[in-house]
Amino acid sequence: MRAHRVFLIMVIVGLFLSCGLFNRSNQRGEVTGIRSQKIKLERPFGMTYIKGGSFNIGTADYGMIELGDFNPRTVSVSSFFIDQTEITNGQYMQFVRWVRDSVARDMLARQVQELGADSQSDGIGQFAYQNFSDTESLTEYQQYMIEQYGQDFPGSSQINWDAPLTWDFNAYPDQYYAQVMDSFYIHPSKWIKGVPKLDVKKFKYRYISSQQDQPSVDTNVPNSFLNYEPFISEKVIEIYPDTTVWVKDFFYSYNDPMHNNYFWHPAYTDYPVVGVNWHQANAFCIWRTQIKNSYNLSRGELTVPQFRLPTEVEWEFAARGGSQNGIYPWGSNELTNRRNQFLANFKPDRGDYKADQVLYTAPVKSYLPNGYNLYNMAGNVAEWTSTPYVWNNAEYIPSLNPNINEMKDDRKVIKGGSWKDVGYYLRISSRDFEYAQSARSFIGFRTVQDVPQNEPF
């Protein structure tokens, strides 16, 4: 009897407590979910919104099947953003200079540490790590993390971006600064005509990545989760483009002016970047995401999804411009318009050379865009995709967002054809490959970004 009373008292107390909780909420005991504030997602700069849909991938030209064309099949693709143009020399130069300056500032800060100086010191001291010498400015979280993990946890030692960095020899603040900056140049004995030359191999971008082709769950063991650590690694990428591709790709051609001027000269700022391998293109995507999210976090705004290379299917869906007709992005089967002008930058027959055709690459907004307002989805430069190049069988291609997640295959699909290619490679369905570590004078890239399912467009 006593046990029943105790149980009854517990039930009554529980009811009173629960009633109190209900009275303090507006949910009336219902599971209504956590309500979030409605937001308007930002359209990424220079990108076009591609609404997802279905289309027939591949080609019916079985005479060229040995080149690896897909057999036709209907597939569906989720919505995404994609760059209107190929990534330009100017955009990639911004990446190069950011990496160059960040490496320099980090080396200057390490030198300050070795000297035992701090941010209050003159000369090189102004480049001290922001969170290393001024412990009073640390948040409670940062103080805890330093005590728990030391100075190695991310964000513990932030480089100082406010101190003015100079590359002018005559403006160096002291000899310690000169010592660090001197390490960025090749040995003076190798300067051409006495002109200092930066050692671009020092421009290395570091980031953390995961092996996407590795499973996170061991399906052979019920309720077993694998350790993520073996699949997470730090990557260090030399990011300066290989400007020698203009000479190496065409050994018996006089392409020295392109080798000497193409990447850095202001005349080529709006031309597509080339000489960038697949790993460097991915590093650019990581950096672009980092820059945007760092800015958003500083303003208390939401972070954006990862910028990345498009899958082969995404690229083909975007190249079609919303049309199912035509083998080229402009929706027809012809390479010229009614005035007999070429509709893309590619290698036509020698006898059909026209005055409007360029010899090498063209500015990224040359020629008319396709139905999605995307420029040069055919010609100019071929473009890296994230998809490994394997022989495909339509029977094994999934119908929803198909992609081959085989990261160990160093052959990566390139699409679109280039300024040096014949018309066949300009077809939307044509596909070729290049090795991920290879850089070419005819391969560039553009990026995409996922769109949340709550699409605002």
Side-chain angles (χ1 to χ4, degrees):
M1 188 70 177
R2 182 180 179 85
H4 287 291
R5 289 182 179 178
V6 172
F7 175 77
L8 181 60
I9 292 174
M10 292 176 64
V11 170
I12 294 174
V13 171
L15 288 174
F16 275 112
L17 290 175
S18 60
C19 289
L21 290 175
F22 294 152
N23 290 335
R24 290 195 296 270
S25 72
N26 296 322
Q27 296 169 330
R28 298 183 179 181
E30 303 294 343
V31 180
T32 60
I34 301 298
R35 298 189 178 184
S36 59
Q37 182 180 1
K38 291 185 177 180
I39 60 171
K40 183 177 181 180
L41 296 180
E42 177 183 2
R43 185 188 299 270
F45 178 79
M47 286 187 145
T48 292
Y49 170 68
I50 307 296
K51 184 175 178 58
S54 300
F55 74 108
N56 293 325
I57 188 174
T59 178
D61 187 0
Y62 296 105
M64 304 298 290
I65 196 67
E66 68 274 11
L67 292 178
D69 286 357
F70 280 117
N71 293 323
R73 179 173 180 180
T74 301
V75 298
S76 299
V77 181
S78 299
S79 301
F80 58 95
F81 293 109
I82 187 170
D83 288 319
Q84 288 183 324
T85 70
E86 299 133 338
I87 296 299
T88 66
N89 282 324
Q91 290 172 310
Y92 198 85
M93 179 64 79
Q94 183 180 352
F95 176 37
V96 168
R97 290 184 177 178
W98 186 94
V99 172
R100 179 200 67 180
D101 290 355
S102 64
V103 171
R105 290 177 183 278
D106 186 64
M107 292 182 65
L108 288 167
R110 292 179 185 276
Q111 180 76 319
V112 172
Q113 280 187 335
E114 292 179 5
L115 295 172
D118 56 34
S119 59
Q120 305 303 317
S121 304
D122 295 330
I124 194 176
Q126 62 186 310
F127 293 95
Y129 288 125
Q130 288 183 319
N131 287 348
F132 181 77
S133 57
D134 186 10
T135 56
E136 294 182 358
S137 64
L138 296 178
T139 65
E140 295 295 332
Y141 167 76
Q142 290 172 328
Q143 293 182 38
Y144 166 79
M145 294 298 285
I146 289 179
E147 293 176 359
Q148 187 75 11
Y149 301 103
Q151 293 289 341
D152 295 330
F153 86 93
S156 63
S157 300
Q158 297 177 0
I159 59 177
N160 184 1
W161 284 96
D162 296 328
L165 184 70
T166 180
W167 295 88
D168 182 357
F169 296 157
N170 298 319
Y172 287 174
D174 55 34
Q175 292 192 13
Y176 296 115
Y177 186 96
Q179 179 184 357
V180 172
M181 301 305 283
D182 179 57
S183 66
F184 276 87
Y185 292 85
I186 63 175
H187 194 275
S189 63
K190 297 182 180 179
W191 291 358
I192 300 176
K193 297 181 180 180
V195 178
K197 186 175 180 60
L198 285 166
D199 183 0
V200 295
K201 291 186 177 295
K202 297 290 180 67
F203 302 171
K204 297 180 180 180
Y205 182 61
R206 299 173 181 269
Y207 66 94
I208 304 296
S209 68
S210 60
Q211 296 175 267
Q212 298 179 1
D213 60 332
Q214 298 292 346
S216 59
V217 178
D218 187 350
T219 57
N220 295 322
V221 181
N223 301 321
S224 175
F225 290 83
L226 296 178
N227 183 7
Y228 279 95
E229 290 187 5
F231 311 124
I232 298 175
S233 62
E234 180 184 46
K235 294 186 181 296
V236 181
I237 305 295
E238 293 182 9
I239 53 88
Y240 199 86
D242 183 0
T243 58
T244 66
V245 293
W246 292 104
V247 177
K248 293 187 298 186
D249 287 346
F250 310 97
F251 191 74
Y252 294 106
S253 297
Y254 178 66
N255 292 328
D256 294 45
M258 300 297 285
H259 163 258
N260 295 334
N261 301 317
Y262 186 77
F263 180 59
W264 69 269
H265 197 284
Y268 292 99
T269 298
D270 293 327
Y271 283 64
V273 67
V274 297
V276 174
N277 65 36
W278 187 83
H279 300 290
Q280 291 171 323
N282 276 284
F284 176 90
C285 295
I286 299 294
W287 169 80
R288 186 177 183 181
T289 309
Q290 174 189 349
I291 290 298
K292 181 59 180 175
N293 282 338
S294 295
Y295 174 78
N296 281 8
L297 289 172
S298 69
R299 296 168 58 89
E301 299 175 358
L302 287 176
T303 57
V304 301
Q306 173 74 53
F307 290 97
R308 56 179 175 82
L309 294 178
T311 66
E312 180 180 5
V313 173
E314 287 174 331
W315 190 98
E316 183 170 330
F317 183 63
R320 293 184 180 277
S323 173
Q324 291 283 5
N325 301 319
I327 62 176
Y328 298 111
W330 42 86
S332 76
N333 296 343
E334 303 296 330
L335 289 169
T336 58
N337 59 18
R338 294 180 179 177
R339 292 179 293 177
N340 204 31
Q341 294 174 319
F342 289 110
L343 296 171
N345 177 23
F346 71 108
K347 178 184 178 180
D349 293 337
R350 295 292 182 182
D352 294 335
Y353 182 82
K354 304 297 180 181
D356 64 316
Q357 188 74 13
V358 295
L359 188 59
Y360 296 104
T361 57
V364 294
K365 285 196 174 182
S366 300
Y367 303 92
L368 295 175
N370 72 356
Y372 285 148
N373 201 34
L374 305 178
Y375 292 84
N376 292 302
M377 293 300 284
N380 213 25
V381 291
E383 299 176 14
W384 289 113
T385 72
S386 63
T387 303
Y389 185 86
V390 296
W391 297 105
N392 293 284
N393 188 323
E395 295 180 2
Y396 300 104
I397 298 175
S399 60
L400 178 62
N401 288 323
N403 193 37
I404 303 168
N405 202 7
E406 180 52 67
M407 303 301 290
K408 295 179 181 179
D409 190 345
D410 284 337
R411 301 174 304 166
K412 306 301 179 182
V413 173
I414 56 174
K415 298 282 286 184
S418 74
W419 58 269
K420 75 162 189 66
D421 291 321
V422 296
Y424 169 77
Y425 287 99
L426 273 63
R427 299 188 316 166
I428 297 171
S429 59
S430 294
R431 61 199 305 263
D432 201 354
F433 75 89
E434 186 53 80
Y435 288 96
Q437 63 271 22
S438 298
R440 299 294 186 186
S441 61
F442 47 86
I443 300 179
F445 68 101
R446 70 182 76 209
T447 68
V448 300
Q449 187 185 73
D450 295 324
V451 177
Q453 291 299 312
N454 184 19
E455 300 171 8
F457 302 101

